[in-house]
Every structure is written in structure tokens, then in C-alpha cells.
């Protein structure tokens, strides 16, 4: 029985006895726009496949310190998204190709996957890939060039 799992969803039905694919899971988006010099009245938005790239439908809330966030109910799947300041008519985030979720010659977008639980996306800086703790180098101890 999977009822304990569904209690984490945004569309839980305690009377349901079979999963009909209607479960939505909370996804939390966070972005640091402190380097963007926002003015009073500016608003950060998230656009993606999950909202049909809707203009202005999902504004984020200023958390202070340049960080904005929003939590949205989203169905399971792999989703592309990006941020804007003042919607599409304002400043669109230029997502670096290195963090593009689906290689495309036309658009670079961030991405995430919802499986069967809420998702809290790692906060990142507007227009930048998340920092990595990885240190590149040879990791094979038997190699002649082992670091």
C-alpha cells in the first residue's frame, strides 16, 4: 500500500486505492539574483514546460539577500525551466550550455526530475551553473599520472 507516499503530494486523496497519475509533488525553486541590481517593483519569475512557459504565471517571493523562491505543485516527469526578471519582456536568464538539461541548438534551459516525492532544487545564481565541489584529475590509483 502506497498511501504514506501520497501524503507528501499536493493532490493527496485518502480515499484513493489506485494511483491514477494525478499526484503532484511540491517543487521548490530558489535563485540568487543579487548581482542583477533589481529595482523596487522588479519581480523574478520561473517559466517552464510545467506551466507551458507561461508569461508571469509563477512569480517568486523575495526571501532577502537577493534570494527569491517559490514552491509549486508539479507532476512527475523531467522538466525544463528558466528564470526571468519582470517576465519575458524583461531580462531572460541566459542558461550556460554546461547546465542545459536537453541539448538543443535553439534554447538552453535548466532541468529537474520529479519522481515520487517533493523536490527542493539547489539554489543557484541567475545565469550561472551551480558550483561543483568536484576536483578534476585522475582518480585511478594505478594510473601513471595519478594525482
Amino acid at each position: 500500500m502506497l498511501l504514506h507516499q501520497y501524503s507528501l503530494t499536493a493532490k493527496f486523496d485518502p480515499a484513493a486505492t489506485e494511483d491514477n497519475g494525478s499526484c503532484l509533488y511540491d517543487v521548490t525553486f530558489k535563485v540568487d539574483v543579487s548581482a542583477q541590481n533589481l529595482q523596487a517593483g522588479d519581480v523574478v519569475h520561473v517559466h517552464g514546460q510545467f506551466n507551458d512557459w507561461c508569461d508571469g504565471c509563477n512569480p517568486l517571493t523575495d526571501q532577502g539577500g537577493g534570494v527569491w523562491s517559490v514552491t509549486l505543485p508539479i507532476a512527475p516527469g523531467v522538466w525544463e525551466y528558466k528564470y526571468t526578471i519582470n517576465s519575458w519582456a524583461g531580462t531572460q536568464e541566459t542558461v550556460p550550455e554546461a547546465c542545459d538539461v536537453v541539448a538543443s541548438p535553439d534554447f538552453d534551459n535548466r532541468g529537474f526530475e520529479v519522481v515520487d516525492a517533493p523536490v527542493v532544487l539547489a539554489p543557484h545564481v541567475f545565469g550561472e551553473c551551480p558550483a561543483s565541489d568536484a576536483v578534476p584529475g585522475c582518480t585511478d590509483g594505478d594510473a601513471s599520472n595519478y594525482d
Side-chain angles (χ1 to χ4, degrees):
M1 184 173 253
L2 298 174
L3 290 180
H4 69 280
Q5 181 180 30
Y6 294 141
S7 66
L8 299 174
T9 72
K11 200 171 181 183
F12 172 65
D13 182 353
T17 58
E18 181 177 317
D19 184 0
N20 66 359
S22 66
C23 291
L24 301 176
Y25 297 91
D26 285 343
V27 176
T28 300
F29 299 84
K30 293 182 182 180
V31 63
D32 181 342
V33 294
S34 59
Q36 300 303 309
N37 299 315
L38 269 62
Q39 303 298 310
D42 287 346
V43 178
V44 179
H45 293 86
V46 63
H47 309 266
Q49 293 168 310
F50 52 86
N51 65 9
D52 292 324
W53 301 98
C54 181
D55 190 27
C57 290
N58 296 121
L60 283 70
T61 302
D62 185 353
Q63 302 298 306
V67 176
W68 290 62
S69 71
V70 68
T71 299
L72 303 172
I74 298 177
V78 176
W79 303 98
E80 291 183 80
Y81 72 102
K82 68 172 41 179
Y83 298 103
T84 64
I85 298 170
N86 298 325
S87 297
W88 293 118
T91 304
Q92 277 188 51
E93 176 184 36
T94 301
V95 176
E97 187 176 340
C99 53
D100 183 12
V101 68
V102 176
S104 165
D106 300 321
F107 303 103
D108 292 326
N109 298 309
R110 299 184 184 281
F112 65 93
E113 181 174 16
V114 176
V115 179
D116 59 4
V119 176
V120 177
L121 299 173
H124 56 271
V125 177
F126 188 86
E128 296 182 15
C129 289
S132 173
D133 293 331
V135 176
C138 179
T139 60
D140 183 348
D142 294 328
S144 62
N145 65 336
Y146 177 69
D147 296 35

